Amino acid sequence: MAKQKLWAQFSEFRKFIKWFWILFGTGILAALLIFLMAGWGVFGPMPTFERLENPQTNLATEIVSSDGETLGKFYLDDNRTPIAYEDLPENLIHALIATEDARYYKHSGIDARGFARAVFFLGTRGGASTISQQLARQLFVGVRSKNKVQAITQKIKEWVIATRLERNYTKEEIIAMYMNIYDFNYNADGIRSASRIYFGKEPQELKTEESAVLVGMLKNSSLYNPIRRESLVLDRRNTVLSQMAKYDYITEKEKDSLIGLKMDINFNPESHREGLATYFRMYLQRFLNKWIDENPKPVAGGKEEKWNIYLDGLKIYTTIDSRMQANAEEAVAAHMKKLQAEFFVQNTRERNPTTPFLDLTPEETERIIERAMRNSERWRAMRAAGVSEKKIRDSFLEETEMTVFDWTKETQEKDTIMTPMDSILYYKTHLRASMMSMEPQTGHVKAWVGGVNYKHFQYDNVIQGARQAGSVFKPFIYAAAIDQLRYSPCDSLPDLQYCIEAEKHGNPEPWCPKNADGRYSGKNFTLKRALANSVNTVTARLIDQVGPKPVVSIVKNLGLTSEIPEVPSIALGTPDFNVYEMVGAYGTFVNEGVYVKPVMVTRIEDRNGTVLYEYVPETRDVLSKDVAYTMLNLMEGVTQGGSGTRLRHSWKKNDPLYKEIITGYPYEFSNPIAGKTGTTQNQSDGWFMGMVPNLVTGVWVGGEDRSTHFKTIAYGQGASMALPIWALYMQKNYEVEDLGVSKEEFPEPSSLSIRIDCSLIEEDTEKKDDLEDDLEDLDF
């Protein structure tokens, strides 16, 4: 009886064992079948082997400076620039593994223990998604569906893809891919963008507590948003640090110390309208669009398609030096803020009823405003929407909320209420500025500032805007005279009113230019002294002797492409030129008479590092070494005793004018500097061109309209409006020795054939002038 009972119990146990193995086997087979079905695409399309080998992610085009810094990126939705595993800091990798997948190096894509724990505790003690599964979801599966059935099929697909990823990639490659693909919000796509946007640094520079913030965001970057939910993100960061201590990546003491630190977010949003070199980046966008049209992208089958600068992950290597660019932008901002404040003072309604314009009739003012209104975005948008002209005009008189530019605010913006018509006048009251700096021997452009604020003033005055050159054109007249007539800086000409008769040099009427102050000294001026003091009568004599045609020929060879009439009046800089071409032309003087076309892009690579473009320098001989050096010697006189002397002296530091607008004065430069100031009629434009042996820089300042200007030349001349920007910029450059900006003498040709030492002549001239002045003072 006992045996039968024992046998019955054993039979029941065998039956249980049998069913256990049947169910277990069925489960294994079912799981295997589900995996196979998922792999066959039963639950939806699966990525092919080719797609697994080359997952398609949108990559931003990266703009790289000559010193290896990222200036900006071009992107539509994905501001992503991938980096290699080797460039990820160790603390970031440790934080990721400790928080997201502690057994990462022990599984092949699916963590069985984690899955069992998640099922048994219903997810209350953590999820089961491995890093490989999370990458699979990011690359191929997408956002988790709210439908439970679909969510389950998505999970199955993640498992399958995760195992495939583990077969195709190393563990390190999977970590790098995951950190590069994740969206951290605010255009922070991938770890590199995230570290730059949230902490203002490259990933390699991240501290442990900073890495913990970014890893904490991986759970849900919208929820754990450090800009909007600081306390929540702080708690999440501390959780990550605790996980790092739990798995011995940091000690308990280190954890406690790091948890005590505040979350130091350094938010640097990256957009096309903000950041460093915004005007240059927009120029570069136009350059790339033209390059793309001329250089199609080769694809399989011999077909061609266009490169996409927003998606194809191109790398653009530029000549811009990020440090010099920052110096240039800071110099422009410092001076223009001060200059604008004085301009506002002088253009109140009480002092100037037609502000921001001077010397205009009501009809002329109306025409300017009408043109601005019709060119506005508001007019274009409403016109496109079919709104009647009357309603469009009425809308310009309706008050509305808007954000406008304001120098006095730290953000350079303020919220206000005004009519669109008032905003037109408000913006026209603001002076504009531009500058470009170039290495003359290579043509490499080192800094490019097209305006004071790209977000509010998008017109690029470096290359889009051409304005009257004024006296910065005069060196080309002197160069032609020295080249063609073999003049020397020591040769003298009288400062007497000079007329070129009608019909000579294509001149329809007599041309009798006046000096800037309307007076004539009657004294003889050496060419060096005449250029230093910008004496118009001497320049008029020179162009009469050499003729306009040779001048235009030289100027064209110097890269100035504007239409230049062959008439004498060009001697005073009546044609319009832009800063870009003017800097290229002046570079010829420093580069021993050889013109080098300014270059901004040296190389373009695709996402794999294949070189798609390399620049070839464009050069041509224009002047002899002797003439080029002589011109530098002439223009050194401008900063030694002419209109640029304020770069060197300090004896006017108590002068009210200097305190008001000569920003940063005194400068007290002692090194060799060649330069030329320029001021156009009515002070509409102020220029300064400054040169040292390895850097040529041009600065322009003026209003959007020529009728927007200072009333007096004291404030409106190039030495007041533009020269201070050059001075501030060079001071900043000299503070950074690694930039290597020269303080040396300009190299003299070995066998200079032109006399440049005018000291004895100028000394005799000064004595004669003093004697004549004394005789004039005698009362007979």
Side-chain angles (χ1 to χ4, degrees), residues 419-694:
T419 68
M421 181 66 74
D422 287 338
S423 74
I424 288 174
L425 293 171
Y426 175 77
Y427 276 103
K428 283 191 175 293
T429 309
H430 284 79
L431 297 172
R432 314 299 165 90
S434 63
M435 72 172 292
M436 191 180 101
S437 196
M438 184 190 80
E439 188 178 79
Q441 291 78 17
T442 62
H444 287 191
V445 174
K446 294 299 180 182
W448 177 304
V449 185
V452 295
N453 183 294
Y454 181 79
K455 188 174 181 180
H456 292 275
F457 306 94
Q458 294 180 19
Y459 192 73
D460 187 346
N461 288 288
V462 165
I463 199 164
Q464 290 178 313
R467 296 293 288 258
Q468 276 193 345
S471 293
V472 294
F473 191 83
K474 287 178 180 175
F476 307 134
I477 312 300
Y478 281 69
I482 293 169
D483 183 55
Q484 302 284 319
L485 306 176
R486 308 310 295 170
Y487 264 115
S488 155
C490 306
D491 290 325
S492 298
L493 291 172
D495 175 24
L496 295 169
Q497 185 169 30
Y498 189 79
C499 289
I500 298 177
E501 62 267 27
E503 307 304 327
K504 188 177 182 182
H505 303 309
N507 213 34
E509 297 178 357
W511 184 61
C512 306
K514 298 178 180 179
N515 287 330
D517 59 5
R519 295 180 295 180
Y520 312 98
S521 66
K523 302 172 183 176
N524 281 334
F525 279 79
T526 62
L527 296 194
K528 188 169 186 177
R529 189 178 171 197
L531 184 64
N533 292 280
S534 218
V535 181
N536 289 342
T537 57
V538 172
T539 309
R541 289 177 186 273
L542 289 176
I543 199 167
D544 187 21
Q545 294 176 26
V546 76
K549 191 168 185 176
V551 172
V552 172
S553 177
I554 285 177
V555 166
K556 290 295 184 182
N557 283 327
L558 291 173
L560 299 177
T561 60
S562 298
E563 187 67 32
I564 307 172
E566 294 179 359
V567 295
S569 61
I570 63 171
L572 303 188
T574 52
D576 291 354
F577 303 102
N578 60 40
V579 173
Y580 167 83
E581 291 185 346
M582 193 62 75
V583 170
Y586 268 69
T588 308
F589 298 132
V590 186
N591 194 35
E592 300 182 329
V594 179
Y595 169 78
V596 182
K597 185 177 181 180
V599 61
M600 287 68 72
V601 177
T602 57
R603 190 168 79 256
I604 300 175
E605 294 179 357
D606 68 10
R607 65 171 69 191
N608 299 314
T610 303
V611 176
L612 305 175
Y613 164 85
E614 277 190 297
Y615 92 105
V616 177
E618 293 184 38
T619 67
R620 56 178 169 268
D621 293 339
V622 181
L623 302 169
S624 69
K625 291 183 180 181
D626 286 8
V627 173
Y629 180 77
T630 300
M631 288 307 304
L632 291 174
N633 180 268
L634 278 170
M635 287 186 280
E636 280 190 87
V638 174
T639 68
Q640 292 167 346
S643 55
T645 312
R646 61 186 63 181
L647 288 171
R648 304 192 182 281
H649 66 57
S650 60
W651 47 269
K652 285 198 173 185
K653 56 188 175 184
N654 294 320
D655 187 310
L657 169 67
Y658 280 68
K659 287 182 177 180
E660 288 166 1
I661 64 168
I662 311 302
T663 314
Y665 179 86
Y667 310 115
E668 298 181 301
F669 289 104
S670 58
N671 57 293
I673 299 169
K676 187 69 190 82
T677 59
T679 310
T680 62
Q681 191 173 9
N682 296 327
Q683 301 79 243
S684 293
D685 307 275
W687 291 78
F688 184 72
M689 306 296 298
M691 293 164 283
V692 295
N694 62 352

Side-chain angles (χ1 to χ4, degrees), residues 89 91 134 167 293 326 439 455 572 600 725 773 776:
N91 58 44
Q134 292 179 51
R167 289 200 301 268
D293 288 338
E439 188 178 79
K455 188 174 181 180
L572 303 188
M600 287 68 72
I725 292 175
D773 290 341
E776 287 176 4

Side-chain angles (χ1 to χ4, degrees), residues 119 182 207 220 428 444 533:
V119 171
Y182 195 81
K207 299 176 183 176
N220 184 334
K428 283 191 175 293
H444 287 191
N533 292 280

